[in-house]
Amino acid sequence: MDEPRVPTDGDASDVVALARVVARLRARVDELEETLATSTLKERAKGALMAREGLSAREAEAALVLRAEHRDRTLADECWAVLGATRKVPARKETARRSAAPDATAQVLLDVLRGPAHVAGVLVCEEAPHGGLVLLGHAGLDAAAAPRWSRVLSFSRQPGSPAALTALHSGQPVWPDRTPMPDGAVAAWVPFVGNGGSAGIVFGFLPAGPGGFDAAARELLQEAARSAGRCRTAPARGTTEDDHGGGAAAVTDAAPSGPGVEEVRAVLDALPGSAVLLTPIRSPGTGEVEDYRIDAATPRSLDCAGRRGAELVGRRILETYPTLVGTDQWRGYAGTLLTGVPYESEPFTYEEVTAGTPRLTTWTVRAARLGERLLVSWSSHDEEAHEARRRQQMERLGDLGWAEWSVRTGETAWSERTYRIFGRAPADSPLSWTELPDHVVPEDAPHLKEATRRLLREGEPLDRTFRIRTECGLRHLRLVAEPVTDAEGATVEVHALYQDLTAQRQAEQALLESERAVLVHRGLLEAERSLATRLQQALLPHQDRTLTVAGLRAEVFYLPSQAGLNVGGDWYSAIDLPDGSGLFVIGDVAGHGIDAVATMAQLRFTAKGMIVTGSPLPDALERLNALLMHAPEGRHSTATLILARYRPWDRTLTWAHAGHLPPLLVRDGDARFLTPPYGIMLGATADCSYEEQHFTVAPGDHLLLYTDGLVERPGEDITAGLDRLARRAGGAVRAAGGVERLAVRLTEALSPSRRDDICLLHLTLPAGGV
């Protein structure tokens, strides 16, 4: 006969497990209520002593303690005595509590045995002092049948009802085939016999059918009676305070039989998968299982919350997995512990809240009894699915596909990704190992054939790249393969990975082409820079020299920005005009490079030409603006400019500007900027006009015309640079001999980093000039 299977339906175990939790909480509440009542009672008694005997609060409390000790009373009793009242202590309802556990045991037995043994009812009886039996608990009986059974059992010494006592006193089960009892039921009586003989407990089992119990059912009932009896009579080895009840309810660890924990741990340490050893934790009063403790675990055990191996050892089931109570799994544990019938759950979903986030996982659990402990293993269906998704993700991210080939049978297996790599439909058969070289481009085929030959004959691993042609075009593939050999060293299987390197090769090719383009562009830039530098040097050679133009001493200084940067558009001009006057120009073209130099040259020569032909300064600026506004598309630029014309016969300097920084005049050691006339930047707008101003140059005056590279600094307002220039120039003029090489010294002091081009004209009318 097949081994009976333990059912998992019914809700009796829900009641059992929840009753344990409720009992602990109820005990804690009772304790807190009693503590509160005692505290209130003590305060009232203290107040009575203080009023009656004139004691302080501390003296009254000490008096209560001393009187209680002297009279051998509890502190509460002494308080009641002081108050002159009778203490009323509420009943604990121990009778109700004692009856709850046997009823729960009977219900668990009924749930477990209803299917495999066809049990319809269970009675839990204990021998009474008068010699009869007391019905402690029952399950499967209606409200009217239970009292009748109780009456019959209490007089079980009478003839006609000796079966229960016979089983109890003999220590052997009584299996009457058709012994009528109340309601015409037939009962089988199975005693629990401990190590010291009869334990005074007998279980009655009512069959569901008229035929009693067969041999297999009888064996199952005896095992269930032994297990249930041990639960009720298990000695307390020690109690531990409930972790959440502060000692209100205690549990006891029964002394389980079977292999010790250390022996089981040694076995589990060598096993794969997830498995734990559960030790039942029983109530010291009833012996009922209230919880389970994890005493051993395999190293690779992984629960739904991510805890592994040693992290699980020492934890309790209801504290670690509180939602497990009342489930089919919880009832399955109880059934296996009682009957020894292995339990296997249906796949179930468990919700675990981790870091505030609920997570659903699917599991299958198996439990087997080991002595009086449970060996529980489980597997996660989600882990298998996750592993498959992870493998697919790895193949997708790495453009990988696996292949296996049997040398003996010729069978070839490809992953889904391998079909995509080769551009074949899954309905098509995969390419065998020998067919592969025929699909490779002719240039790569000989090398691949030789590599495959060495792998098959010599067992040499293979790592080659090759190209194939598909409907999507040419693809670059990498093949990594290794052989699996038999005991004689012959290759029997080939395991391989294909990697699609097409995108990588395309990126490498694009990078090479980009590098070539960069090199070509760099050559063009260097050629352009060289041309611009030569052009700039031809127009404005680097110089630090002194000129005399129309009677003015002109110190000219031009310095480009740091080496390696693009050449800029700063420029100057100082020439004598045909009428004896002098022209002084300084300008700054926006941008760098050959375009800036070309624009600078165009402005320089055009300005000279117009002034030489007699054009007024404002007219010259308007025409220069029109020149920039009508530049070819893509060559448009802007520029700032100062035009100054000096007439030596009346020492008048006329000047106009187009958005340039104002000239600095140093006279008698005082430095000030000339107020600029109206004028905007060249190339900004076609609708513009310009004005000019005049002032008389006095002997000893110093006039500085400059570009912004002398005064600008990153992140600083331009006015700070102008103030710095005025202070430096004024101080240099006031110092004895300070005007020598003034342009050079100002440049070194004000712009040591030379982030931009610098152009500076220092104009001086000698003290003896006319």
Side-chain angles (χ1 to χ4, degrees):
M1 180 177 178
D2 294 337
E3 182 178 353
R5 186 174 184 275
V6 180
T8 60
D9 55 347
D11 57 358
S13 295
D14 300 11
V15 177
V16 176
L18 290 175
R20 304 299 176 266
V21 178
V22 171
R24 290 197 297 269
L25 294 177
R26 182 182 296 156
R28 180 58 176 163
V29 170
D30 290 344
E31 182 187 36
L32 292 175
E33 289 178 348
E34 184 173 354
T35 300
L36 180 60
T38 303
S39 177
T40 303
L41 180 63
K42 184 174 70 172
E43 293 301 319
R44 292 175 57 193
K46 284 169 56 179
L49 283 180
M50 291 168 64
R52 185 186 310 162
E53 302 180 12
L55 302 176
S56 66
R58 181 176 298 178
E59 291 171 342
E61 183 172 1
L64 285 173
V65 174
L66 290 175
R67 293 179 184 183
E69 292 178 354
H70 179 71
R71 296 169 182 173
D72 195 20
R73 293 176 177 173
T74 65
L75 182 60
D77 290 338
E78 183 62 28
C79 290
W80 282 111
V82 170
L83 295 173
T86 303
R87 184 185 183 194
K88 299 178 180 179
V89 181
R92 293 285 185 175
K93 300 183 181 179
E94 293 295 337
T95 303
R97 294 190 184 181
R98 281 194 297 268
S99 64
D103 283 342
T105 301
Q107 186 63 54
V108 171
L109 288 172
L110 179 61
D111 291 342
V112 172
L113 301 173
R114 180 185 285 115
H118 304 290
V119 173
V122 178
L123 307 171
V124 181
C125 305
E126 187 176 39
E127 188 173 12
H130 58 74
L133 293 174
V134 177
L135 180 61
L136 299 178
H138 59 84
L141 304 183
D142 57 30
R148 289 196 292 271
W149 272 107
S150 181
R151 287 194 297 272
V152 170
L153 292 171
S154 64
F155 298 100
S156 57
R157 290 176 297 175
Q158 298 178 358
S161 58
L165 276 179
T166 300
L168 187 63
H169 292 158
S170 67
Q172 298 295 325
V174 176
W175 309 103
D177 292 333
R178 293 185 179 275
T179 303
M181 298 300 274
D183 299 332
V186 177
W189 297 96
V190 182
F192 168 68
V193 180
N195 295 332
S198 175
I201 299 172
V202 64
F203 296 93
F205 299 99
L206 308 181
F213 299 102
D214 58 22
R218 292 179 179 182
E219 182 179 354
L220 194 58
L221 295 181
Q222 292 183 76
E223 178 61 26
R226 285 193 295 270
S227 298
R230 283 194 296 267
C231 293
R232 286 190 45 77
T233 61
R237 290 194 300 166
T239 60
T240 59
E241 290 188 354
D242 182 82
D243 293 343
H244 304 289
V251 295
T252 184
D253 296 348
S257 63
V261 173
E262 294 301 325
E263 289 82 354
V264 177
R265 284 178 180 172
V267 175
L268 293 186
D269 284 344
L271 294 179
S274 297
V276 295
L277 179 68
L278 300 185
T279 297
I281 299 177
R282 304 181 184 276
S283 169
T286 64
E288 294 295 321
V289 176
E290 293 192 340
D291 204 344
Y292 297 90
R293 186 183 63 241
I294 302 175
D295 281 340
T298 58
R300 296 183 62 183
S301 294
L302 176 66
D303 72 354
C304 51
R307 291 175 285 254
R308 289 183 177 273
E311 295 182 74
L312 298 171
V313 176
R315 295 179 179 271
R316 294 190 180 186
I317 294 297
L318 291 185
E319 296 171 358
T320 309
Y321 317 105
T323 59
L324 192 63
V325 64
T327 62
D328 290 343
Q329 182 180 340
W330 183 261
R331 291 189 289 271
Y333 287 176
T336 298
L337 197 61
L338 284 173
T339 65
V341 178
Y343 163 76
E344 180 173 354
S345 73
E346 297 293 332
F348 65 93
T349 301
Y350 183 84
E351 181 176 353
E352 178 77 12
V353 179
T354 304
T357 303
R359 176 170 171 259
L360 293 177
T361 52
T362 304
W363 304 81
T364 296
V365 176
R366 301 168 185 84
R369 195 171 71 185
L370 183 63
E372 292 187 15
R373 296 185 175 93
L374 289 179
L375 188 61
V376 178
S377 63
W378 66 92
S379 59
S380 171
H381 298 270
D382 302 88
E383 186 175 353
E384 299 173 0
H386 177 68
E387 185 66 26
R389 289 194 301 269
R390 183 165 51 189
R391 183 170 57 251
Q392 293 174 357
Q393 186 178 29
M394 179 188 66
E395 292 182 358
R396 179 180 58 83
L397 293 177
D399 278 331
L400 296 170
W402 58 263
E404 294 179 353
W405 179 59
S406 172
V407 176
R408 294 175 178 174
T409 63
E411 295 181 356
T412 303
W414 277 4
S415 68
E416 180 183 356
R417 195 73 187 177
T418 307
Y419 282 97
R420 294 186 181 182
I421 290 175
F422 278 85
R424 297 172 68 88
D428 300 333
S429 60
L431 299 177
S432 68
W433 190 253
T434 55
E435 294 173 336
L436 178 61
D438 296 335
H439 291 74
V440 177
V441 297
E443 295 85 352
D444 299 340
H447 302 287
L448 185 60
K449 286 182 179 180
E450 178 60 22
T452 55
R453 185 193 64 79
R454 289 198 301 269
L455 182 141
L456 294 176
R457 296 185 180 181
E458 304 172 15
E460 181 178 335
L462 182 153
D463 189 344
R464 300 288 302 182
T465 58
F466 57 91
R467 293 166 294 170
I468 62 173
R469 295 192 181 278
T470 68
E471 295 181 356
C472 299
L474 187 68
R475 288 190 176 179
H476 298 259
L477 304 184
R478 178 189 179 189
L479 171 61
V480 179
E482 61 179 17
V484 177
T485 59
D486 57 14
E488 298 177 355
T491 300
V492 295
E493 286 185 0
V494 176
H495 296 170
L497 278 178
Y498 292 100
Q499 184 177 19
D500 189 352
L501 302 178
T502 305
Q504 180 179 337
R505 291 291 183 265
Q506 291 175 347
E508 292 173 354
Q509 185 64 29
L511 181 60
L512 289 175
E513 294 177 358
S514 177
E515 289 177 349
R516 294 192 190 100
V518 168
L519 292 175
V520 172
H521 187 59
R522 180 181 298 173
L524 293 175
L525 289 178
E526 290 178 352
E528 180 181 331
R529 183 182 297 111
S530 176
L531 175 61
T533 302
R534 290 198 301 269
L535 179 59
Q536 187 184 50
Q537 290 176 350
L539 296 173
L540 295 173
H542 296 183
Q543 52 185 299
D544 171 17
R545 59 176 180 165
T546 302
L547 305 173
T548 301
V549 178
L552 290 180
R553 180 178 179 273
E555 182 187 359
V556 179
F557 184 74
Y558 170 74
L559 189 64
S561 59
Q562 291 178 342
L565 300 178
N566 286 331
V567 294
D570 291 19
W571 58 284
Y572 70 92
S573 182
I575 61 172
D576 289 305
L577 297 177
D579 62 356
S581 61
L583 175 65
F584 301 94
V585 186
I586 193 164
D588 186 0
V589 177
H592 294 81
I594 194 169
D595 289 340
V597 174
T599 302
M600 176 267 288
Q602 190 177 30
L603 292 176
R604 185 168 186 262
F605 292 119
T606 303
K608 282 184 180 181
M610 288 189 293
I611 300 302
V612 167
T613 57
S615 297
L617 300 183
D619 293 347
L621 289 177
E622 290 181 6
R623 290 171 182 161
L624 292 176
N625 181 71
L627 179 66
L628 293 186
M629 294 299 298
H630 291 85
E633 185 177 355
R635 297 288 299 276
H636 178 76
S637 183
T638 59
T640 62
L641 190 67
I642 287 181
L643 293 177
R645 186 170 185 173
Y646 176 68
R647 296 187 309 208
W649 53 87
D650 58 3
R651 296 204 306 268
T652 300
L653 187 127
T654 303
W655 69 287
H657 89 118
H660 202 82
L661 296 174
L664 177 65
L665 174 65
V666 183
R667 176 176 290 176
D668 298 331
D670 293 330
R672 67 181 179 87
F673 292 98
L674 300 181
T675 302
Y678 180 78
I680 64 174
M681 179 187 300
L682 300 178
T685 177
D687 185 14
C688 64
S689 62
Y690 298 91
E691 296 177 354
E692 63 183 16
Q693 283 191 358
H694 311 274
F695 81 95
T696 302
V697 179
D701 283 352
H702 298 271
L703 187 67
L704 296 178
L705 306 179
Y706 53 91
T707 57
D708 56 6
L710 183 66
V711 294
E712 281 188 336
R713 290 185 182 178
E716 183 182 73
D717 189 89
I718 188 65
T719 57
L722 294 174
D723 292 341
R724 189 165 48 246
L725 172 61
R727 289 194 305 270
R728 288 276 185 176
V733 171
R734 288 192 297 270
V739 296
E740 293 299 326
R741 296 177 56 82
L742 178 61
V744 176
R745 289 188 291 113
L746 286 176
T747 301
E748 293 175 351
L750 298 177
S751 185
S753 61
R754 289 192 289 122
R755 301 175 62 91
D756 199 359
D757 294 355
I758 298 174
C759 191
L760 180 60
L761 290 179
H762 174 207
L763 306 179
T764 306
L765 180 61
V770 295

